[in-house]
Amino acid sequence: MATKPIGIIMHGITGRMGYNQHLVRSILAIRDQGGVLLANGDRLMPEPTLVGRNAEKIAEIAREHGVAKTTTDLDGALADPNNTIFFDAGSTQMRVALLERAIAAGKHVYCEKPISETLDEALSVAASAERRGVKNGVVQDKLFLPGLRKIAMLRDSGFFGKILSVRGEFGYWVFEGDWGVKAQRPSWNYRKAEGGGMILDMLPHWRYVLDNLFGEVKAVSCYGATHIPSRVDENGKTYVADADDSAYATFELEGGIVAHINSSWAVRVRRDDLVTFQVDGTHGSAVCGLMRCFTQHRVNTPKPVWNPDQPQTIDFFNTWDEVPDTQPFDNGFKVQWEDFLRHVVEDAPWRFTLREGAKGVQLAELAQKSWVERRWIDVPALAAR
């Protein structure tokens, strides 16, 4: 057995997601475990090069985690034949141009979502990767969450019977920053001109969750809102928050399934997790968060009777059973990184391409149109490669 290095250019790792989930909990965790095991018994060892505009900041991260290579020269990193993959977790507005540069340099590309601000851009960069013949992928991390993996297991076992509906609740209160508690999200999230907005941020997630777990999205009806019109940025300055901070969307799925997902940065949490999904079927229902999942089969379903004249006598929470952890669940970002690395090196199966990522951008774009025009919008199938 041999250990084979693979060079990975990592852009955007000074941001919260790029640093925590992709650098520390994925690439460095893979390094610390001894690499990715390949089908032939070899191990693939990632060798990251951290790229950013702030040389001091990326050098500090590199020193803290024992990363050997940093640079502010992206073109130089792309020209290095030892680098095989380019990864981007920076801002959406920069992504297409960065991916195009990497593709032109012959690098395989992997990135966060959304892959662009518009569907035309998304399809263009996907086509560029296909013409150049480079492997390509987009992060679809929520499919790898323990909670949703348990939902998939229940679906595959036939637990639900016929699935009728899906309900999702996502979000939490993002502080305005004007009364002593700093905002826990960057200010660009709330500026239209900088690519902010809940619809563009979260509907690409809901597209791949719905498509892969329940049924292809066929139509959308969406209402967006900017509930908090003024916020305070990282420098203590008040700014106009003109991007949507909430989205209330209903989806028609293949097979007649109805899904509704509320997404908001202006909601206080009284549920099990920051995101929960409830799936109702003829034989049973399930509710999951990031990690845990609870079920109620039809034989265990209580029989409530509406009576507004007396307090409710049923403790509904106690009528659900938890799905046990019957297998280990690794970090979802790390698992998907391992799959992509195997895809690049040994052509292992992979379906989360840039063209799949374009479907998420398409849904966000059509949801925006639905909001503006105040109507249902059909979601047409995108042309295959």
Side-chain angles (χ1 to χ4, degrees):
M1 294 187 296
T3 298
K4 299 180 178 181
I6 183 167
I8 304 173
I9 303 166
M10 302 193 72
H11 178 266
I13 54 83
T14 57
R16 177 180 56 87
M17 186 69 71
Y19 174 77
N20 287 324
Q21 296 297 346
H22 292 288
L23 178 63
V24 175
R25 296 174 189 167
S26 294
I27 295 303
L28 298 184
I30 291 170
R31 180 193 68 181
D32 294 343
Q33 76 182 14
V36 176
L37 182 63
L38 301 177
N40 65 0
D42 290 343
R43 286 195 169 270
L44 192 64
M45 183 64 70
E47 293 187 348
T49 296
L50 310 186
V51 179
R53 290 173 293 182
N54 189 324
E56 184 177 336
K57 192 168 185 178
I58 58 174
E60 181 182 348
I61 292 173
R63 284 192 299 271
E64 181 180 353
H65 295 286
V67 175
K69 299 178 182 179
T70 68
T71 185
T72 58
D73 180 11
L74 176 58
D75 288 329
L78 291 172
D80 186 343
N82 294 314
N83 290 327
T84 301
I85 296 171
F86 171 79
F87 169 73
D88 178 54
S91 68
T92 305
Q93 287 190 322
M94 297 175 61
R95 184 157 297 135
V96 171
L98 289 169
L99 293 177
E100 291 283 9
R101 287 166 68 183
I103 291 166
K107 306 302 179 186
H108 306 296
V109 294
Y110 186 50
C111 68
E112 265 290 348
K113 42 60 47 204
I115 63 174
S116 66
E117 291 186 283
T118 69
L119 178 58
D120 286 345
E121 289 179 321
L123 293 174
S124 176
V125 73
S128 292
E130 292 160 359
R131 285 194 301 269
R132 191 66 169 80
V134 299
K135 304 286 179 62
N136 58 93
V138 60
V139 176
Q140 302 204 343
D141 57 286
K142 288 177 176 50
L143 291 176
F144 298 87
L145 289 169
L148 284 176
R149 289 178 66 183
K150 292 171 184 176
I151 290 286
M153 178 187 70
L154 292 167
R155 177 205 61 195
D156 294 342
S157 74
F159 170 82
F160 294 111
K162 175 179 171 54
I163 294 178
L164 306 173
S165 63
V166 180
R167 293 174 175 82
E169 289 286 345
F170 165 81
Y172 47 93
W173 191 268
V174 175
F175 286 90
E176 304 93 318
D178 61 351
W179 59 274
V181 181
K182 291 183 178 180
Q184 64 269 48
R185 293 187 65 90
S187 59
W188 71 263
N189 286 161
Y190 305 94
R191 294 185 171 108
K192 278 185 181 179
E194 296 182 32
M198 178 63 82
I199 292 174
L200 183 60
D201 189 54
M202 292 310 300
L203 263 70
H205 278 302
W206 306 150
R207 178 69 190 268
Y208 69 71
V209 167
L210 295 172
D211 276 1
N212 285 279
L213 291 182
F214 308 112
E216 190 173 340
V217 177
K218 295 298 185 182
V220 59
S221 173
C222 183
Y223 180 83
T226 305
H227 291 308
I228 310 295
S230 177
R231 293 179 178 270
V232 175
D233 67 16
E234 295 82 356
N235 300 313
K237 295 183 178 180
T238 300
Y239 67 96
V240 175
D242 60 353
D244 46 290
D245 58 25
S246 301
Y248 309 94
T250 304
F251 309 92
E252 178 191 350
L253 309 187
E254 186 177 20
I257 298 171
V258 178
H260 181 83
I261 304 178
N262 295 324
S263 310
S264 179
W265 290 314
V267 63
R268 294 179 175 90
V269 179
R270 194 179 189 275
R271 52 185 186 270
D272 289 344
D273 216 328
L274 298 186
V275 63
T276 59
F277 292 93
Q278 177 165 335
V279 184
D280 289 304
T282 54
H283 292 179
S285 298
V287 178
C288 80
L290 297 175
M291 304 291 178
R292 305 175 73 186
C293 181
F294 297 84
T295 61
Q296 186 176 92
H297 196 263
R298 59 180 174 179
V299 299
N300 298 324
T301 302
K303 189 179 181 181
V305 176
W306 178 261
N307 186 346
D309 298 320
Q310 68 178 36
Q312 180 56 248
T313 59
I314 300 173
D315 184 347
F316 288 104
F317 286 102
N318 281 336
T319 64
W320 294 72
D321 298 315
E322 184 167 6
V323 178
D325 290 336
T326 54
Q327 57 182 301
F329 295 106
D330 206 346
N331 179 280
F333 290 87
K334 175 174 172 281
V335 171
Q336 194 177 355
W337 260 109
E338 291 173 332
D339 286 348
F340 184 68
L341 290 172
R342 292 189 185 98
H343 173 61
V344 168
V345 173
E346 59 185 12
D347 205 29
W350 176 261
R351 69 181 188 275
F352 306 121
T353 62
L354 290 176
R355 196 165 288 276
E356 283 297 301
K359 292 180 180 179
V361 179
Q362 177 197 36
L363 185 62
E365 201 169 83
L366 294 177
Q368 293 274 9
K369 183 178 182 181
S370 169
W371 176 19
V372 171
E373 298 182 4
R374 302 177 70 85
R375 66 182 180 92
W376 277 90
I377 302 288
D378 289 335
V379 179
L382 293 180
R385 174 179 175 178

